[in-house]
Amino acid sequence: MPIILRHLAFTGPQEAARALEFADGLNLLYGASNTGKSFTTKAIDYMLGASRVLPDISERRPYDRVWLGITTADGDETLTRALAGGNFRLERGLVVESAAGSNRVLGARHDPGDDGNISQFLLGHTGLQGKRIAVDANGKKRSLSFRDVARFCIVDETTIQSEDSPVQSGQAVSQTAERSTFKLLLTGIDDSAIVEVVDRKTFKSSTTAQLEMLDDMIAAVDVEIANQFPDEEQLRDQATRLEATFTAAQAELDAAQGSIRELLDRKRKLGHELTLAAGRLDDLDLSLARFDQLDAVYASDIQRLEALDEAGFLLTLGGDRDCPLCGAAPGSQAHHEELGNVERVRGAAAAEAAKISRQREDLRNTVQQITADGQRIMDRIPGLRQALSETERELERLAPAATEARRAVTEVMEVRDQVKRGLALVEQRASLRSRREEIAARKPAGKADKPKIGVDGTTAHDFAQEVSRVLTAWRFPGERHVAFDEGSYDLRIDGKLRSHNGKGVRAITHAAFKVALLLYCRNRGLPHPGFLVLDTPLLTYRDPIDDDVLTEDERELASSSLKEYFFEHLASVADAGQFIVVENVDPPPNLSKSANVEIFSGSRAAGRQGLF
């Protein structure tokens, strides 16, 4: 069963856990720069045994532990490791906290004689435990480490754009081991059967040539160090001081940019509040105008009811007296019942008038409240305008400081990088001297033919056809005729070495190489970790823009970019393995229907800001 990555999480003593979930099949992590995407790739590699500690970015400092949830043949498990490095703990289940008595310690260093280390644990679940690989042309061997396999399933941004073969790191001392590991993945056969032998004549000439070459290389490095770094002994002290200076300068820049961001947020908020206040005043003015009209209606209704009451009053005057015309008593008068109706009408009119008066009083109270609200808003507006003006002035004041801080960071980086170059040369010279001592100390063996180490022609051809099928599925430009070049251990695509292309094409074809390797192994039942992490395979690639030579059908096909076919293909082969793609470019529409898409927006106001 392959290994499936389930989650990557960070915890700290005073911080809530920050977790990133992964699904089976295709996963895409994309978004703004400096949000932790490439850090995620490094963190996965770190949790699979890389010895290099993670970059000391400010966002990770509150955290002290990393958790990587995985699914293996044994079920769900979680690896945890301190950010400071060291050994691992293996927890049962997918967790982000330790459970007493349920964990096992795994050493960080590879040891083929002990199952209690991370390399042996991962190799065991991959089906590669106990394998051996050749490390030089003479057939010298060592045990396979998971770090040998990791480069075939975790590809960072620098590696994916490199001119080196996807098989090799570019370091001559590790070339044979890398080729042997590649052969092991393609065939399932390791180098255990190889016997290390070198004849004396070849050994002597080879040793002499290697020593001469190393002497030349050491001399060249010595000259470069003497010319460019005469203060060699002070390089490490300079690097330490420059690192501290850079950290301080970066902190100052972060503070300046943080202040500007806060002021921009405040300016945006104040502008929004002013707009809302103006809109509210308009609404209140409209309400007051309507209430004035309603008050006039109430006044008119009251006047009408008072007139009705007054008329009724006049009609009832004398209604209980003898008729002045005929002298008839009140009880004998024919209009007695009609006068009673007048009284009832007067009573109803009085009640209605009282009701309207109460409503009119409520209306006056409402008008007073609205008027008071309007006055409060008008009283608040000058303060908002003053605050907005002050914020704008503060922005104008801080802008030069941020520019100066950015310039200081750039200057320190240039000097720091130069010092790092000097340290790299010193380390390279030490490595070359160590290598020379190792070669000079070798003893010749008996006569024998050197073993053939690496991939045979038939297997290489079959693999190249798998790469061709992947490129075809991605609609990569050209005929997509792929061959394996045994000299460079790289691909020739339509007759051209992969490394002779620009970095955009190198990145996408490197990705095709690693995807094809996973599919090749899975389709043939060969051992492979079963997952692939690709950091920015599409960032610098663009489709051809000259379509004059395309037919109508080809032009229609080209209207859909390679990016879309890339994701479509990976989603279609999701049953073969797990793909985690880290990108800066926007994904195709509706990709979330066939993939797990995680967006790092870079903004606190829009979804997830970043890894932390």
Side-chain angles (χ1 to χ4, degrees):
M1 177 179 177
I3 298 172
I4 303 174
L5 308 185
R6 293 302 185 189
H7 71 251
L8 178 69
F10 296 80
T11 58
Q14 307 296 328
E15 293 290 330
R18 297 295 296 170
L20 183 63
E21 304 291 334
F22 304 114
D24 293 359
L26 177 57
N27 297 262
L28 172 63
L29 172 60
Y30 86 100
S33 298
N34 294 325
T35 54
K37 301 188 303 301
S38 291
F39 189 92
T40 300
T41 303
K42 292 182 176 66
I44 292 173
D45 195 29
Y46 177 73
M47 290 306 295
L48 294 177
S51 59
R52 181 179 299 177
V53 296
L54 294 174
D56 186 22
I57 59 175
S58 58
E59 291 84 355
R60 58 148 274 195
R61 290 174 186 166
Y63 304 92
D64 63 353
R65 191 173 294 277
V66 195
W67 306 74
L68 181 66
I70 60 176
T71 298
T72 66
D74 293 338
D76 292 334
E77 299 176 291
T78 301
L79 293 166
T80 179
R81 190 183 191 189
L83 281 165
N87 293 337
F88 295 75
R89 284 191 180 274
L90 180 65
E91 309 277 349
R92 294 178 182 175
L94 300 177
V95 299
V96 289
E97 60 181 8
S98 295
S102 69
N103 54 59
R104 166 190 173 197
V105 175
L106 295 175
R109 294 179 62 86
H110 171 71
D111 182 354
D114 181 9
D115 289 341
N117 57 81
I118 187 65
S119 178
Q120 291 291 83
F121 170 78
L122 295 171
L123 289 174
H125 284 299
T126 308
L128 292 168
Q129 190 174 24
K131 302 297 184 181
R132 294 178 64 77
I133 56 173
V135 297
D136 64 22
N138 300 321
K140 182 179 179 181
K141 302 182 295 295
R142 64 167 171 79
S143 64
L144 179 74
S145 165
F146 189 79
R147 299 315 305 163
D148 297 312
V149 181
R151 68 175 292 100
F152 295 97
C153 58
I154 304 174
V155 189
D156 62 32
E157 182 177 9
T158 300
T159 301
I160 206 167
Q161 297 178 21
S162 171
E163 295 182 6
D164 295 313
S165 161
V167 174
Q168 300 168 179
S169 63
Q171 299 295 321
V173 293
S174 59
Q175 175 178 291
T176 302
E178 291 160 351
R179 293 185 176 189
S180 297
T181 304
F182 180 54
K183 186 264 292 186
L184 169 59
L185 293 173
L186 286 182
T187 63
I189 301 173
D190 70 353
D191 294 328
S192 297
I194 292 178
V195 178
E196 181 185 1
V197 288
V198 179
D199 64 88
R200 291 180 176 272
K201 183 178 180 180
T202 303
F203 174 84
K204 184 177 180 180
S205 60
S206 174
T207 300
T208 302
Q210 291 182 64
L211 291 176
E212 289 177 353
M213 179 185 68
L214 288 171
D215 287 339
D216 290 343
M217 294 174 67
I218 292 170
V221 173
D222 282 335
V223 170
E224 188 171 359
I225 291 175
N227 291 338
Q228 297 187 28
F229 305 99
D231 52 350
E232 173 188 344
E233 296 78 12
Q234 302 178 15
L235 284 176
R236 295 198 180 279
D237 291 340
Q238 290 178 12
T240 301
R241 293 194 299 271
L242 283 168
E243 195 64 39
T245 303
F246 174 78
T247 300
Q250 185 64 50
E252 183 177 346
L253 175 59
D254 291 343
Q257 291 179 332
S259 299
I260 288 177
R261 282 194 296 270
E262 291 176 1
L263 289 171
L264 288 173
D265 290 340
R266 185 182 179 191
K267 177 182 177 181
R268 194 179 302 111
K269 181 179 178 182
L270 290 170
H272 182 62
E273 290 181 0
L274 280 170
T275 301
L276 291 178
R280 179 60 178 162
L281 285 176
D282 291 341
D283 292 341
L284 293 178
D285 289 340
L286 180 61
S287 296
L288 288 175
R290 291 175 176 172
F291 287 164
D292 284 343
Q293 294 176 356
L294 181 59
D295 185 72
V297 171
Y298 281 163
S300 174
D301 290 343
I302 291 174
Q303 289 176 358
R304 174 176 55 79
L305 292 170
E306 287 177 350
L308 184 62
D309 179 70
E310 183 177 355
F313 174 76
L314 293 175
L315 287 174
T316 57
L317 289 178
D320 56 350
R321 301 179 182 178
D322 294 339
C323 180
L325 297 178
C326 64
S332 301
Q333 296 177 14
H335 60 269
H336 180 265
E337 290 300 321
E338 284 75 13
L339 290 176
N341 290 336
V342 170
E343 287 295 334
R344 286 193 293 275
V345 171
R346 288 185 61 203
E352 182 66 18
K355 175 183 175 182
I356 294 174
S357 295
R358 289 193 300 273
Q359 292 175 338
R360 192 178 186 192
E361 184 62 25
D362 291 340
L363 180 62
R364 289 195 186 99
N365 292 336
T366 300
V367 169
Q368 290 176 357
Q369 182 177 354
I370 291 175
T371 302
D373 289 344
Q375 188 59 48
R376 282 194 295 271
I377 293 173
M378 292 180 66
D379 292 341
R380 184 165 170 259
I381 285 177
L384 291 173
R385 288 175 175 165
Q386 181 178 357
L388 181 60
S389 298
E390 291 173 354
T391 301
E392 291 174 341
R393 287 194 297 271
E394 185 67 11
L395 279 170
E396 293 176 357
R397 185 184 68 80
L398 289 178
T403 301
E404 178 61 23
R406 190 176 296 107
R407 184 193 62 78
V409 168
T410 301
E411 290 179 353
V412 174
M413 284 180 63
E414 292 175 353
V415 178
R416 184 191 65 172
D417 291 344
Q418 179 66 6
V419 171
K420 283 185 175 181
R421 167 64 179 162
L423 288 174
L425 288 172
V426 172
E427 291 176 2
Q428 181 183 1
R429 182 178 61 187
S431 176
L432 290 172
R433 287 174 175 173
S434 175
R435 178 66 173 162
R436 190 191 187 287
E437 292 174 0
E438 178 185 345
I439 292 174
R442 285 179 182 172
K443 302 296 182 182
K447 294 181 178 181
D449 294 330
K450 288 187 179 181
K452 177 174 173 55
I453 298 173
V455 182
D456 63 273
T458 301
T459 301
H461 173 78
D462 291 343
F463 172 70
Q465 303 322 298
E466 187 73 52
V467 177
S468 178
R469 286 188 286 273
V470 170
L471 292 176
T472 300
W474 295 356
R475 303 299 196 273
F476 184 81
E479 297 297 324
R480 298 179 284 271
H481 294 316
V482 182
F484 190 81
D485 185 84
E486 293 187 8
S488 64
Y489 246 66
D490 207 340
L491 302 174
R492 283 188 180 273
I493 302 174
D494 294 337
K496 182 179 181 181
L497 269 177
R498 190 195 67 87
S499 60
H500 291 177
N501 292 284
K503 62 181 179 180
V505 173
R506 293 199 301 269
I508 194 65
T509 50
H510 188 128
F513 189 106
K514 295 298 172 63
V515 170
L517 177 60
L518 186 151
L519 297 178
Y520 185 95
C521 293
R522 301 295 291 163
N523 291 338
R524 291 162 176 76
L526 296 169
H528 188 283
F531 65 88
L532 179 59
V533 181
L534 298 172
D535 194 343
T536 58
L538 297 167
L539 177 61
T540 57
Y541 180 81
R542 65 168 297 160
D543 292 323
I545 59 176
D546 182 6
D547 63 354
D548 293 341
V549 298
L550 298 180
T551 65
E552 183 176 350
D553 291 342
E554 289 171 332
R555 196 171 292 114
E556 180 178 352
L557 184 64
S559 65
S560 183
S561 68
L562 180 146
K563 174 179 68 175
E564 295 172 350
Y565 291 115
F566 170 85
F567 287 113
E568 179 182 322
H569 175 251
L570 293 187
S572 71
V573 296
D575 291 341
Q578 183 185 38
F579 301 96
I580 300 175
V581 180
V582 178
E583 264 299 348
N584 284 16
V585 299
D586 293 334
N590 302 319
L591 180 63
S592 57
K593 294 180 180 179
S594 57
N596 172 41
V597 179
E598 188 73 44
I599 305 172
F600 286 177
S601 67
S603 169
R604 296 179 180 176
R608 179 166 182 157
Q609 183 179 6
L611 177 60
F612 295 100

